[in-house]
Amino acid sequence: MEATTVPAQPRWQRALKRIASLILHQWLLIGIGIVCALAYCFPNVAKHGGTIRSEYSIMYGVIAIIFLISGLSIPRQKLISQVLNWRLHVIVQVISFLFIPALVLAIVHIILAADPGGKIDRAVLAGYIFTACIPTTIASNVVMTRSAGGDDAAALVEVLLANILGPFVTAAWTIALMPKRVEFDPWRYGGGDLGSMYKEVFQQLGLSVLLPLFAGQLVRWTWPDRTAWVLQRTKLPKLATCCLLLLIWATFSSCFATGALQTLSAQSIVFVVLFNIILYITLTAVCFFCSRPPRIFSSRRWSKPIFKRMSPEETIAVCFCGPAKSTALGIPLLYAMWQPVDLFLKAKTSVPVLLYTTEQICVAHFFVQLFRWWHARIVEKEDIDDRTGDDGEIGMAEDTRGDHAGRGHEHMTV
């Protein structure tokens, strides 16, 4: 009996399949481009106070969906263990609230010395100091960490901790770091009332983060097997990634509605866009180094607890939480801190916040692919070491083996 041969597909069909596959793999970036175009053409739809009242429908409703999914996905034991992980807290919060403000302040002073003519708008520089002092973002960290195969429980705990500390740290820290120059007087003496801002921020944190998270954990605790089955069959974590597009839409709509972007000089816009990318990549590298320092740092007995390498899953969480900044807290805090300041000046000051938080999602999309590949490579290497008993690499296996148990469906990629 002769075997039937399948005719080869025409070259144009193979090319179309490759193009379709590429588009499907980059659907998030394409979606970001679409929502940015919609925000530019119809800014009044999703701006703060616009047609769909995005300050409620998106900042509460969409974020609540993301954290409900997180509550359904994360085992309670993992969440508790990360709450007690002091080294994780120290690395993420020190980078977020100390290292980044110090680095940005140094860069701002270099720009002031090199640009006496003021080609870079001083509102942009003030906005960067403010951006450096705000906490990590609420939603995208957890989504990106889960997509890359990281420990989303670690990301979730750091998000909660940072956004509880943020309202108390950011305002005072921003004013303290503002350059003592005449052109920065509007931001040093803004005189805003923070009382209403604190109420709004903690109300949002409770209703859109804590309550959905608790509800998801309650459902998971009551019906663990059924919840895992539903998550596996429905691919529900993918919905969380789609929710990011709505957050970006609302952010850019508010930015275009104020007209702040359109009035900045070309030099300021180019500086902001390029600086954001360089800053985010640099901070991610710093986070990776702090999470998994070279082994020479832990060669001494006294240094082992300090420089012990984190697991790959925790490292991924640190790399997404450390460099990120939050629009959800940043914009309300900015307008509350400088309430008496001219609205147009506040809008220009908000440009670094808006663009950085948007660009971080675009750059993080590529880091998801990179970390997913790196994580798979580490796991494969450990499996080979376990089978062959290779003593030369056993140290890395010990660093990471403890966190591979119980991952189950949490590593469903988006």
Side-chain angles (χ1 to χ4, degrees):
M1 184 175 179
E2 296 183 359
T4 57
T5 58
V6 179
Q9 287 184 330
R11 183 176 298 176
W12 65 269
Q13 286 188 359
R14 295 197 301 270
L16 281 179
K17 281 189 175 181
R18 288 197 193 98
I19 294 172
S21 176
L22 179 64
I23 291 173
L24 287 175
H25 278 88
Q26 305 301 327
W27 69 270
L28 182 60
L29 284 182
I30 296 171
I32 290 173
I34 293 173
V35 297
C36 286
L38 289 174
Y40 180 77
C41 296
F42 312 103
N44 293 324
V45 175
K47 71 173 184 178
H48 187 90
T51 306
I52 65 171
R53 301 297 296 240
S54 62
E55 67 271 24
Y56 300 112
S57 60
I58 292 179
M59 292 304 171
Y60 279 84
V62 170
I63 291 177
I65 292 172
I66 291 174
F67 282 94
L68 176 63
I69 294 171
S70 296
L72 293 169
S73 305
I74 301 173
R76 187 173 67 258
Q77 294 81 1
K78 277 184 67 177
L79 208 55
I80 295 172
S81 68
Q82 294 302 346
V83 168
L84 302 175
N85 191 343
W86 64 269
R87 189 161 174 264
L88 177 72
H89 305 329
V90 169
I91 290 177
V92 174
Q93 305 309 327
V94 165
I95 289 175
S96 184
F97 287 120
L98 292 179
F99 179 79
I100 297 178
L103 176 63
V104 170
L105 182 63
I107 293 171
V108 166
H109 279 288
I110 291 172
I111 293 171
L112 289 174
D115 181 33
K119 291 183 179 179
I120 304 299
D121 199 303
R122 292 334 186 210
V124 169
L125 298 182
Y128 265 116
I129 293 174
F130 172 78
T131 303
C133 297
I134 59 179
T136 189
T137 187
I138 292 177
S140 61
N141 290 343
V142 180
V143 175
M144 295 294 185
T145 299
R146 183 188 299 123
S147 299
D151 192 333
D152 46 357
L156 181 55
V157 168
E158 294 314 305
V159 164
L160 293 175
L161 180 58
N163 282 271
I164 290 172
L165 293 173
F168 302 105
V169 174
T170 301
W173 201 211
T174 301
I175 300 302
L177 297 180
M178 202 64 67
K180 307 299 188 292
R181 296 167 65 118
V182 175
E183 55 261 51
F184 290 93
D185 282 350
W187 295 280
R188 283 214 314 277
Y189 307 112
D193 178 21
L194 298 179
S196 59
M197 185 277 302
Y198 285 131
K199 179 182 177 182
E200 179 181 344
V201 166
F202 286 114
Q203 175 180 299
Q204 181 183 6
L205 196 64
L207 294 178
S208 64
V209 177
L210 294 176
L211 187 59
L213 178 65
F214 175 77
Q217 285 285 288
L218 185 62
V219 171
R220 183 183 176 92
W221 180 68
T222 308
W223 302 287
D225 295 335
R226 193 173 302 176
T227 302
W229 182 84
V230 170
L231 287 171
Q232 187 75 31
R233 292 296 297 269
T234 61
K235 305 293 183 184
L236 198 58
K238 289 185 178 180
L239 179 61
T241 307
C242 297
C243 290
L244 288 181
L245 295 177
L246 296 177
L247 291 172
I248 295 171
W249 180 37
T251 299
F252 260 98
S253 294
S254 297
C255 190
F256 286 128
T258 61
L261 271 176
Q262 295 89 318
T263 57
L264 285 176
S265 65
Q267 293 94 329
S268 295
I269 292 294
V270 171
F271 166 74
V272 170
V273 171
L274 295 180
F275 179 66
N276 287 344
I277 296 173
I278 295 171
L279 180 63
Y280 187 86
I281 294 174
T282 302
L283 293 175
T284 303
V286 170
C287 290
F288 187 87
F289 176 83
C290 292
S291 303
R292 293 180 71 84
R295 294 190 184 280
I296 191 172
F297 285 89
S298 58
S299 58
R300 306 272 181 173
R301 181 177 298 178
W302 61 267
S303 64
K304 282 185 179 179
I306 301 173
F307 295 105
K308 180 183 176 183
R309 285 187 163 193
M310 287 185 167
S311 69
E313 292 80 16
E314 290 177 347
T315 299
I316 292 171
V318 171
C319 289
F320 283 117
C321 290
K325 295 297 178 179
S326 170
T327 307
L329 175 63
I331 296 303
L333 181 56
L334 185 149
Y335 279 83
M337 280 176 61
W338 294 306
Q339 190 173 3
V341 176
D342 176 69
L343 178 62
F344 180 67
L345 190 60
K346 284 188 289 191
K348 287 202 295 184
T349 308
S350 71
V351 168
V353 186
L354 294 170
L355 289 186
Y356 183 82
T357 53
T358 303
E359 287 182 73
Q360 75 189 8
I361 296 177
C362 297
V363 179
H365 174 70
F366 292 101
F367 275 119
V368 165
Q369 314 300 325
L370 179 62
F371 280 122
R372 189 184 296 169
W373 169 82
W374 173 75
H375 179 261
R377 192 161 172 254
I378 291 290
V379 173
E380 182 182 1
K381 186 178 180 64
E382 289 176 10
D383 290 342
I384 293 173
D385 290 345
D386 287 342
R387 289 197 300 268
T388 61
D390 186 359
D391 293 333
E393 299 292 337
I394 199 167
M396 182 177 291
E398 288 176 351
D399 281 343
T400 58
R401 189 178 293 122
D403 283 324
H404 290 315
R407 281 188 304 223
H409 64 274
E410 276 87 340
H411 284 279
M412 291 184 295
T413 54
V414 179

